[in-house]
PDB file of all heavy atoms in Angstrom:
ATOM      1  N   HIS A 338     284.434 196.192  95.236  1.00  0.00           N
ATOM      2  CA  HIS A 338     284.531 196.855  96.543  1.00  0.00           C
ATOM      3  C   HIS A 338     284.797 195.840  97.640  1.00  0.00           C
ATOM      4  O   HIS A 338     285.577 196.093  98.568  1.00  0.00           O
ATOM      5  CB  HIS A 338     283.256 197.636  96.834  1.00  0.00           C
ATOM      6  CG  HIS A 338     283.369 198.493  98.049  1.00  0.00           C
ATOM      7  ND1 HIS A 338     282.800 198.171  99.270  1.00  0.00           N
ATOM      8  CD2 HIS A 338     284.023 199.672  98.257  1.00  0.00           C
ATOM      9  CE1 HIS A 338     283.088 199.098 100.149  1.00  0.00           C
ATOM     10  NE2 HIS A 338     283.824 200.029  99.567  1.00  0.00           N
ATOM     11  N   ASN A 339     284.172 194.672  97.547  1.00  0.00           N
ATOM     12  CA  ASN A 339     284.400 193.632  98.553  1.00  0.00           C
ATOM     13  C   ASN A 339     285.838 193.120  98.527  1.00  0.00           C
ATOM     14  O   ASN A 339     286.433 192.842  99.577  1.00  0.00           O
ATOM     15  CB  ASN A 339     283.445 192.460  98.324  1.00  0.00           C
ATOM     16  CG  ASN A 339     282.006 192.796  98.682  1.00  0.00           C
ATOM     17  OD1 ASN A 339     281.758 193.703  99.471  1.00  0.00           O
ATOM     18  ND2 ASN A 339     281.056 192.083  98.088  1.00  0.00           N
ATOM     19  N   LEU A 340     286.414 193.001  97.318  1.00  0.00           N
ATOM     20  CA  LEU A 340     287.745 192.400  97.181  1.00  0.00           C
ATOM     21  C   LEU A 340     288.880 193.400  97.333  1.00  0.00           C
ATOM     22  O   LEU A 340     289.907 193.088  97.948  1.00  0.00           O
ATOM     23  CB  LEU A 340     287.856 191.694  95.823  1.00  0.00           C
ATOM     24  CG  LEU A 340     287.109 190.362  95.690  1.00  0.00           C
ATOM     25  CD1 LEU A 340     287.126 189.881  94.253  1.00  0.00           C
ATOM     26  CD2 LEU A 340     287.740 189.307  96.598  1.00  0.00           C
ATOM     27  N   ILE A 341     288.749 194.597  96.765  1.00  0.00           N
ATOM     28  CA  ILE A 341     289.877 195.540  96.782  1.00  0.00           C
ATOM     29  C   ILE A 341     289.536 196.849  97.481  1.00  0.00           C
ATOM     30  O   ILE A 341     290.396 197.729  97.601  1.00  0.00           O
ATOM     31  CB  ILE A 341     290.392 195.830  95.355  1.00  0.00           C
ATOM     32  CG1 ILE A 341     289.306 196.469  94.487  1.00  0.00           C
ATOM     33  CG2 ILE A 341     290.924 194.551  94.711  1.00  0.00           C
ATOM     34  CD1 ILE A 341     289.786 196.872  93.087  1.00  0.00           C
ATOM     35  N   GLY A 342     288.287 197.009  97.917  1.00  0.00           N
ATOM     36  CA  GLY A 342     287.914 198.207  98.657  1.00  0.00           C
ATOM     37  C   GLY A 342     287.888 199.476  97.845  1.00  0.00           C
ATOM     38  O   GLY A 342     287.970 200.575  98.400  1.00  0.00           O
ATOM     39  N   GLU A 343     287.776 199.365  96.520  1.00  0.00           N
ATOM     40  CA  GLU A 343     287.758 200.548  95.659  1.00  0.00           C
ATOM     41  C   GLU A 343     286.392 200.709  95.006  1.00  0.00           C
ATOM     42  O   GLU A 343     285.640 199.738  94.845  1.00  0.00           O
ATOM     43  CB  GLU A 343     288.829 200.429  94.556  1.00  0.00           C
ATOM     44  CG  GLU A 343     290.245 200.310  95.071  1.00  0.00           C
ATOM     45  CD  GLU A 343     290.799 201.627  95.600  1.00  0.00           C
ATOM     46  OE1 GLU A 343     290.048 202.627  95.635  1.00  0.00           O
ATOM     47  OE2 GLU A 343     291.980 201.658  95.984  1.00  0.00           O
ATOM     48  N   ARG A 344     286.096 201.952  94.588  1.00  0.00           N
ATOM     49  CA  ARG A 344     284.812 202.248  93.954  1.00  0.00           C
ATOM     50  C   ARG A 344     285.019 202.657  92.491  1.00  0.00           C
ATOM     51  O   ARG A 344     286.119 203.016  92.088  1.00  0.00           O
ATOM     52  CB  ARG A 344     284.096 203.351  94.726  1.00  0.00           C
ATOM     53  CG  ARG A 344     283.799 202.948  96.183  1.00  0.00           C
ATOM     54  CD  ARG A 344     282.909 203.951  96.869  1.00  0.00           C
ATOM     55  NE  ARG A 344     282.715 203.603  98.279  1.00  0.00           N
ATOM     56  CZ  ARG A 344     281.848 202.696  98.725  1.00  0.00           C
ATOM     57  NH1 ARG A 344     281.093 202.028  97.853  1.00  0.00           N
ATOM     58  NH2 ARG A 344     281.727 202.444 100.016  1.00  0.00           N
ATOM     59  N   PRO A 345     283.960 202.627  91.677  1.00  0.00           N
ATOM     60  CA  PRO A 345     284.085 202.887  90.239  1.00  0.00           C
ATOM     61  C   PRO A 345     284.562 204.302  89.914  1.00  0.00           C
ATOM     62  O   PRO A 345     284.191 205.262  90.585  1.00  0.00           O
ATOM     63  CB  PRO A 345     282.669 202.662  89.708  1.00  0.00           C
ATOM     64  CG  PRO A 345     282.005 201.790  90.716  1.00  0.00           C
ATOM     65  CD  PRO A 345     282.597 202.195  92.031  1.00  0.00           C
ATOM     66  N   THR A 346     285.363 204.409  88.856  1.00  0.00           N
ATOM     67  CA  THR A 346     285.827 205.697  88.359  1.00  0.00           C
ATOM     68  C   THR A 346     284.945 206.156  87.201  1.00  0.00           C
ATOM     69  O   THR A 346     284.018 205.461  86.781  1.00  0.00           O
ATOM     70  CB  THR A 346     287.266 205.591  87.841  1.00  0.00           C
ATOM     71  OG1 THR A 346     287.276 204.695  86.718  1.00  0.00           O
ATOM     72  CG2 THR A 346     288.205 205.065  88.920  1.00  0.00           C
ATOM     73  N   VAL A 347     285.260 207.324  86.675  1.00  0.00           N
ATOM     74  CA  VAL A 347     284.533 207.819  85.507  1.00  0.00           C
ATOM     75  C   VAL A 347     284.712 206.868  84.327  1.00  0.00           C
ATOM     76  O   VAL A 347     283.807 206.741  83.482  1.00  0.00           O
ATOM     77  CB  VAL A 347     285.003 209.249  85.155  1.00  0.00           C
ATOM     78  CG1 VAL A 347     286.441 209.261  84.642  1.00  0.00           C
ATOM     79  CG2 VAL A 347     284.067 209.903  84.148  1.00  0.00           C
ATOM     80  N   ASP A 348     285.847 206.180  84.231  1.00  0.00           N
ATOM     81  CA  ASP A 348     286.062 205.213  83.149  1.00  0.00           C
ATOM     82  C   ASP A 348     285.004 204.113  83.200  1.00  0.00           C
ATOM     83  O   ASP A 348     284.435 203.719  82.180  1.00  0.00           O
ATOM     84  CB  ASP A 348     287.453 204.576  83.264  1.00  0.00           C
ATOM     85  CG  ASP A 348     288.576 205.601  83.251  1.00  0.00           C
ATOM     86  OD1 ASP A 348     288.402 206.652  82.612  1.00  0.00           O
ATOM     87  OD2 ASP A 348     289.609 205.357  83.887  1.00  0.00           O
ATOM     88  N   PHE A 349     284.731 203.612  84.396  1.00  0.00           N
ATOM     89  CA  PHE A 349     283.733 202.566  84.580  1.00  0.00           C
ATOM     90  C   PHE A 349     282.340 203.098  84.240  1.00  0.00           C
ATOM     91  O   PHE A 349     281.528 202.412  83.606  1.00  0.00           O
ATOM     92  CB  PHE A 349     283.774 202.056  86.018  1.00  0.00           C
ATOM     93  CG  PHE A 349     282.991 200.801  86.265  1.00  0.00           C
ATOM     94  CD1 PHE A 349     283.564 199.552  86.056  1.00  0.00           C
ATOM     95  CD2 PHE A 349     281.677 200.856  86.717  1.00  0.00           C
ATOM     96  CE1 PHE A 349     282.839 198.389  86.285  1.00  0.00           C
ATOM     97  CE2 PHE A 349     280.948 199.706  86.952  1.00  0.00           C
ATOM     98  CZ  PHE A 349     281.530 198.461  86.738  1.00  0.00           C
TER      99      PHE A 349
END
Side-chain angles (χ1 to χ4, degrees):
H338 188 257
N339 289 337
L340 286 171
I341 61 176
E343 300 285 4
R344 299 189 184 279
T346 64
V347 68
D348 303 330
F349 192 87

